[in-house]
Amino acid sequence: MTATKRRQLRPHHYGAAWKVAYADLTTAMMALFVVLWVLTQADVRLRQQIAQYFRQPGVLPGGAVISPYANELRSRTPKVVTRELLVAQGQGEQDLFESEKKAIDQTLARRPELALLRDQVIVQVTDAGLSIQVVDSGHDRLFDLSSARLKPALVSLLKQLGRQLGHLPNRIQIGGHTDSRPLPPEVAITNWDLAFARANNARRVLEASGLWAGQVHRVIGYADSEPLVLEDPFADENRRLSILAERLDPLPAGGPIALPPDKLPGRAG
């Protein structure tokens, strides 16, 4: 047999590289089927958390997804995470806000220490986010006239809201509002100063009660520039605190629009 024929009969050795590629393909397919199975068993909130995980890998204890605003969690320095943050965007965020609104309503209904202000809290899911307004009903339960000191019932409410809103990934706005009555001449501040001081005091309570670091986006003093009762700038309800959990994603066209409540607390009709 010639040397040419011996070379033709020699078996070819392709190596085992194909086995590695096949194993990778099998693993990927198995992972795909597991994810598909989980999606068929999950509710809307869990589906949104799974989707967010693949956008920003990283899981907190308990299976919650790292908030995009918790920048300190991205640091190389090890940190202990003590709170779960619920993450949802798009329609999932809308469902999350609706769920949080229901939870706040239930808390107001069952906590006896909050009963005093139960009828003075307006919670709405709006096109801007989750809106919470604590309005004055003329009984001076929020703060004394011309004073920025928060009364005990309001402090108790803010502590509870801080614990609940701290589980959201959304940034928080806090606003202070007054009516159009001018302050007495002996008071050396304006309604702008008073509105901001009340909002800033509310911020301190919320941050101390559960909001995560950096969650407060802005604190605003509105004075009487955005009355709740447009036809009566002196109405008690115009004196209020407003808290907004801002949306992460804008609403699609045709989303819900906030409307004034049919019945404001403490008013007939």
Side-chain angles (χ1 to χ4, degrees):
M1 182 179 296
T2 65
T4 301
K5 290 183 177 181
R6 282 198 300 273
R7 283 196 298 271
Q8 292 176 345
L9 295 176
R10 186 175 300 158
H12 294 280
H13 298 281
Y14 294 100
W18 66 272
K19 296 180 181 178
V20 177
Y22 180 74
D24 290 343
L25 175 63
T26 304
T27 303
M29 293 298 294
M30 183 174 68
L32 173 63
F33 288 129
V34 169
V35 171
L36 292 176
W37 178 81
V38 169
L39 289 177
T40 63
Q41 308 298 315
D43 56 17
V44 173
R45 180 180 297 181
L46 181 56
R47 293 181 190 179
Q48 292 297 327
Q49 290 177 341
I50 293 171
Q52 183 67 21
Y53 172 83
F54 285 105
R55 297 189 190 103
Q56 289 182 297
V59 182
L60 301 182
V65 182
I66 293 176
S67 163
Y69 293 113
N71 292 326
E72 65 272 16
L73 299 179
R74 299 179 182 178
S75 170
R76 295 177 181 269
T77 305
K79 291 183 174 65
V80 177
V81 179
T82 59
R83 181 187 300 119
E84 289 186 359
L85 297 177
L86 302 177
V87 174
Q89 293 180 307
Q91 184 60 39
E93 183 175 61
Q94 180 72 13
D95 293 338
L96 182 59
F97 282 157
E98 294 288 354
S99 176
E100 193 66 23
K101 175 187 181 302
K102 182 178 179 180
I104 292 173
D105 289 338
Q106 290 175 344
T107 298
L108 290 171
R110 69 171 183 263
R111 300 291 288 270
E113 69 272 23
L114 304 179
L116 195 62
L117 297 181
R118 184 177 304 156
D119 296 331
Q120 296 176 228
V121 181
I122 304 171
V123 186
Q124 293 177 300
V125 179
T126 73
D127 52 349
L130 178 63
S131 169
I132 305 168
Q133 301 204 61
V134 188
V135 305
D136 198 332
S137 62
H139 301 291
D140 297 332
R141 293 171 180 167
L142 306 186
F143 14 68
D144 290 321
L145 291 177
S146 306
S147 171
R149 186 180 68 85
L150 309 183
K151 290 203 167 181
L154 178 56
V155 171
S156 296
L157 173 64
L158 291 173
K159 286 181 178 179
Q160 180 61 40
L161 292 176
R163 286 190 286 269
Q164 295 189 230
L165 296 176
H167 291 283
L168 297 177
N170 307 79
R171 304 289 288 277
I172 302 296
Q173 292 185 31
I174 305 168
H177 305 258
T178 68
D179 57 30
S180 294
R181 291 183 179 89
L183 295 176
E186 62 271 16
V187 179
I189 60 173
T190 67
N191 276 330
W192 293 101
D193 302 318
L194 182 61
F196 177 79
R198 288 171 173 174
N200 201 37
N201 286 342
R203 173 193 62 80
R204 293 190 181 99
V205 177
L206 289 168
E207 288 186 330
S209 304
L211 297 189
W212 43 269
Q215 189 172 5
V216 174
H217 184 199
R218 54 171 62 99
V219 178
I220 308 172
Y222 290 97
D224 61 345
S225 62
E226 294 191 5
L228 190 63
V229 185
L230 296 175
E231 66 274 13
D232 184 3
F234 301 107
D236 296 325
E237 291 84 3
N238 291 332
R239 300 192 300 272
R240 68 195 192 278
L241 287 175
S242 59
I243 301 169
L244 176 69
E246 303 171 350
R247 289 186 181 274
L248 298 175
D249 288 339
L251 271 180
I257 297 176
L259 298 175
D262 294 332
K263 294 182 180 180
L264 291 171
R267 291 178 64 88

